[in-house]
Amino acid sequence: MRYAYRTGLTGSLIERADQIRISDEAVAEQCRSLRARLLKLADLDPELGPDGLLCWGSMADRPDGAELLFLGLDGDAPCFAPLIEEGQTPGMQAYAVWRQLDMMPPEEASTYAAARSLIEWHRGHLFCSRCGTRSRVTKAGWGRKCPACDAEHFPRVDPVVIMLAEYEGKALVGRQPRFPPDRYSALAGFVEPGEAIEEAVARELFEEAGVRAKEVRYLASQPWPFPNSLMMACIAPVEDDALTLDIEELEAAMWVSKEEVAASLAGAPDAPFIAPPHFAIAHTLLRAWVESDADKA
Amino acid sequence: MRYAYRTGLTGSLIERADQIRISDEAVAEQCRSLRARLLKLADLDPELGPDGLLCWGSMADRPDGAELLFLGLDGDAPCFAPLIEEGQTPGMQAYAVWRQLDMMPPEEASTYAAARSLIEWHRGHLFCSRCGTRSRVTKAGWGRKCPACDAEHFPRVDPVVIMLAEYEGKALVGRQPRFPPDRYSALAGFVEPGEAIEEAVARELFEEAGVRAKEVRYLASQPWPFPNSLMMACIAPVEDDALTLDIEELEAAMWVSKEEVAASLAGAPDAPFIAPPHFAIAHTLLRAWVESDADKA
């Protein structure tokens, strides 16, 4: 498939075989395959080869007490990950895994992202939200079911908008208090119930920076497994460049030119900020904006 | 704001005032405002005036035992909805509310969609998914918190792709077994953990109809409060028109021309199918496809 903008953490070579995961018998048959393999994880983080590729073991490596998560088929090889329901959920700390993602080809990061998101989802959803009873893994890791009230629960995916406001040839970048020093990025926020993507972009730009969107153009999307976001990148021409920052969300923000963003993406020593890493869609968004030949604002 | 494609259930005139809802004191002050008003609901369905407008009462109409959901500000009027935590969740039945949505201006349907999604989310999430304890409403209805483990829970929004496969000037429409007679629509499915929108479109088209996407173009989005979807409409040129249907998902599918879709959208008696209602993004998607001047496939 051709992508308009190729984002990181996409393009897994594993085909999610939904027709298998919905059948316990079909999953059991895949488990018994001599080609079956198990993703090597150190808790939630990947074990990597020197080339940034994921490491796989045999089904005999399954840790004690681990359920199996069926990731899908890589050609005729069934791919599983160990699903340890009880375990740490790391929260918003600085992740060591970011250094690993930096080395991984996007296809490998994509496979890993699905496994990580699912395992972390299970850990935060051991109990039925409808009645409070401990629920059980179903569909080879792609759901949970409550034995008391029969409610089915499916993995959560949180849509997030991430956007560049644009005004007279400049784009708006900001920094959250938790960012590493000198890092600036596109503004972002969760889509709320009852909102379109376009409305969430406009609301977040106004809430966080006090700027009013005139229109919203969607560019590209990417999964983000910390823990389970779907990032949707947009560009939004705005009415005015006067900023009113919500300092809880943004400790600083600035308008930058295409030349300045290009310098930051290139890691130039005199660049005005340190750009997000290449595997983050904010990087793709900044690059797409720099490379766009005309401002349509 | 200019929309590339105006979808139904968008454009609420109520500004979601996040700075108010995060403060119990600020919410209490809004409650005491003489301009405060309360959305009239019959369980989850709206009460409508003859013009399809939502009906509002005063804060004195608050039902016994109802929490308050702060929807935001309409000018200087604080808008609330009654949040009855225990109640029916209707599931996938044919909704009477669809006939009401048919009469409502999109701005009104947008306001209603946020309220309905939130109330239904609370009803399905009374218990902490992390530890099983009954949790409590926080942030004026925009979250829940567990008194035992302190976990915070935020309303769920499920991203869904809805797409027209396109091949040699024709588009693919299908019907799910639960559709009313002769209704056909765009294919659709939930975005899974670890997937981009574009990947979900490609996977769903292949799983449900056996067609392979060559590219994916995003068009527009819409909230869909049954119970909490974010619909994202795309067009996907595909490699071939040979269909292999997943008959669990689609009981029939067919390739239709722009003339045929135009006839269906117009409700012509000889149209090949009954189109989705005007307030559904599938309608917007079909209309946008008919009106696109060139097939870029």
Side-chain angles (χ1 to χ4, degrees):
Chain A
M1 188 170 70
R2 264 196 325 271
Y3 290 85
Y5 300 93
R6 184 62 196 277
T7 50
L9 289 83
T10 58
S12 173
L13 302 177
I14 292 178
E15 184 132 16
R16 295 159 181 241
D18 184 60
Q19 77 284 6
I20 291 172
R21 65 165 101 124
I22 59 176
S23 154
D24 290 347
E25 274 177 43
V27 173
E29 191 184 321
Q30 297 295 328
C31 277
R32 291 190 300 268
S33 162
L34 293 176
R35 295 187 185 81
R37 61 196 200 198
L38 189 70
L39 186 64
K40 290 197 175 180
L41 294 175
D43 192 33
L44 286 174
D45 293 342
E47 284 189 32
L48 294 186
D51 44 4
L53 300 187
L54 296 167
C55 294
W56 299 84
S58 82
M59 300 301 278
D61 299 328
R62 178 176 179 172
D64 287 345
E67 300 264 354
L68 284 175
L69 165 60
F70 177 61
L71 296 173
L73 296 171
D74 182 2
D76 57 3
C79 298
F80 291 87
L83 170 48
I84 299 175
E85 289 184 85
E86 312 256 358
Q88 292 299 310
T89 53
M92 290 296 277
Q93 73 210 42
Y95 297 104
V97 69
W98 282 43
R99 288 191 295 275
Q100 295 180 296
L101 287 172
D102 194 47
M103 296 186 294
M104 296 167 76
E107 303 78 24
E108 293 286 282
S110 167
T111 297
Y112 168 68
R116 181 182 179 111
S117 271
L118 279 164
I119 296 168
E120 202 164 345
W121 175 74
H122 283 282
R123 291 183 180 183
H125 294 79
L126 297 178
F127 293 85
C128 176
S129 63
R130 194 170 287 279
C131 77
T133 304
R134 173 114 186 186
S135 61
R136 295 175 187 151
V137 176
T138 53
K139 295 187 199 296
W142 293 84
R144 300 187 70 89
K145 188 163 183 181
C146 176
C149 77
D150 276 343
E152 284 194 286
H153 302 282
F154 295 103
R156 179 170 169 142
V157 175
D158 293 324
V160 174
V161 288
I162 180 163
M163 55 271 169
L164 285 180
E166 185 182 50
Y167 186 77
E168 292 190 350
K170 293 196 169 190
L172 182 64
V173 293
R175 54 174 281 114
Q176 297 173 27
R178 64 184 179 81
F179 279 6
D182 298 322
R183 164 73 52 75
Y184 281 72
S185 187
L187 277 54
F190 290 99
V191 179
E192 295 184 349
E195 270 186 336
I197 292 172
E198 293 75 9
E199 293 177 303
V201 167
R203 177 183 53 75
E204 287 284 346
L205 285 177
F206 185 70
E207 276 179 12
E208 295 196 355
V211 292
R212 289 282 188 192
K214 293 197 295 185
E215 63 170 309
V216 175
R217 298 195 301 269
Y218 169 90
L219 248 78
S221 68
Q222 173 192 67
W224 190 246
F226 307 105
N228 46 21
S229 293
L230 170 64
M231 310 297 299
M232 305 180 294
C234 299
I235 291 180
V238 297
E239 292 175 358
D240 194 274
D241 62 355
L243 298 177
T244 307
L245 299 190
D246 172 357
I247 54 164
E248 299 283 313
E249 299 286 336
L250 285 183
E251 63 176 32
M254 58 185 175
W255 293 98
V256 286
S257 70
K258 289 192 174 179
E259 293 68 31
E260 289 171 318
V261 173
S264 293
L265 289 169
D270 61 343
F273 66 96
I274 295 177
H278 67 89
F279 53 84
I281 198 169
H283 188 106
T284 314
L285 174 58
L286 286 164
R287 185 171 299 284
W289 180 71
V290 166
E291 293 174 356
S292 63
D293 36 346
D295 297 322
K296 299 177 200 164
Chain B
M1 188 170 68
R2 264 197 324 270
Y3 290 85
Y5 300 93
R6 185 63 197 276
T7 50
L9 289 84
T10 58
S12 173
L13 301 178
I14 292 177
E15 184 130 19
R16 294 158 181 244
D18 185 60
Q19 77 285 5
I20 292 173
R21 65 166 99 123
I22 59 176
S23 155
D24 289 347
E25 273 176 47
V27 173
E29 192 184 320
Q30 297 297 326
C31 277
R32 290 190 301 268
S33 162
L34 293 178
R35 295 186 187 81
R37 59 195 201 197
L38 189 71
L39 186 63
K40 290 197 176 180
L41 294 174
D43 192 33
L44 287 173
D45 293 342
E47 284 189 32
L48 293 187
D51 45 4
L53 299 187
L54 295 168
C55 294
W56 299 84
S58 82
M59 300 302 278
D61 301 327
R62 179 177 179 172
D64 286 345
E67 300 264 354
L68 284 175
L69 165 60
F70 177 61
L71 296 172
L73 296 172
D74 182 2
D76 58 3
C79 299
F80 291 87
L83 169 48
I84 300 174
E85 289 183 86
E86 313 258 356
Q88 292 300 310
T89 54
M92 291 295 277
Q93 74 211 42
Y95 297 103
V97 69
W98 282 44
R99 287 191 295 276
Q100 296 180 295
L101 287 172
D102 194 48
M103 297 185 294
M104 296 167 77
E107 303 78 23
E108 293 286 284
S110 167
T111 297
Y112 168 68
R116 182 182 176 112
S117 272
L118 279 164
I119 297 168
E120 201 163 346
W121 175 75
H122 283 282
R123 292 184 179 182
H125 295 80
L126 297 177
F127 293 84
C128 175
S129 63
R130 194 170 286 281
C131 79
T133 305
R134 172 113 187 188
S135 60
R136 295 176 188 149
V137 175
T138 54
K139 294 187 200 300
W142 294 85
R144 300 186 69 88
K145 188 163 184 181
C146 176
C149 77
D150 276 343
E152 284 193 287
H153 302 281
F154 296 102
R156 179 170 171 143
V157 176
D158 293 324
V160 173
V161 288
I162 180 161
M163 55 270 167
L164 285 180
E166 185 183 50
Y167 187 76
E168 293 190 349
K170 294 196 169 190
L172 183 64
V173 292
R175 53 175 281 114
Q176 297 174 28
R178 65 184 178 81
F179 279 4
D182 299 320
R183 163 73 51 75
Y184 281 72
S185 186
L187 276 54
F190 289 100
V191 179
E192 294 184 350
E195 270 185 335
I197 292 171
E198 293 75 9
E199 294 177 302
V201 167
R203 177 182 52 74
E204 286 285 346
L205 285 177
F206 185 70
E207 277 178 14
E208 294 195 357
V211 291
R212 291 281 189 192
K214 293 198 294 185
E215 64 171 308
V216 175
R217 299 195 301 269
Y218 169 90
L219 248 77
S221 68
Q222 173 192 68
W224 189 246
F226 306 105
N228 45 22
S229 293
L230 170 64
M231 310 299 298
M232 305 178 294
C234 298
I235 291 180
V238 296
E239 293 175 357
D240 194 273
D241 61 354
L243 298 177
T244 308
L245 298 191
D246 173 356
I247 54 163
E248 299 284 314
E249 298 287 337
L250 284 184
E251 63 176 33
M254 60 186 174
W255 293 98
V256 286
S257 69
K258 289 191 172 177
E259 292 69 29
E260 289 171 317
V261 173
S264 293
L265 289 170
D270 61 342
F273 65 96
I274 294 177
H278 68 89
F279 54 83
I281 199 170
H283 189 105
T284 314
L285 174 59
L286 286 164
R287 184 171 300 283
W289 180 71
V290 165
E291 292 173 358
S292 62
D293 36 347
D295 298 322
K296 300 177 198 163

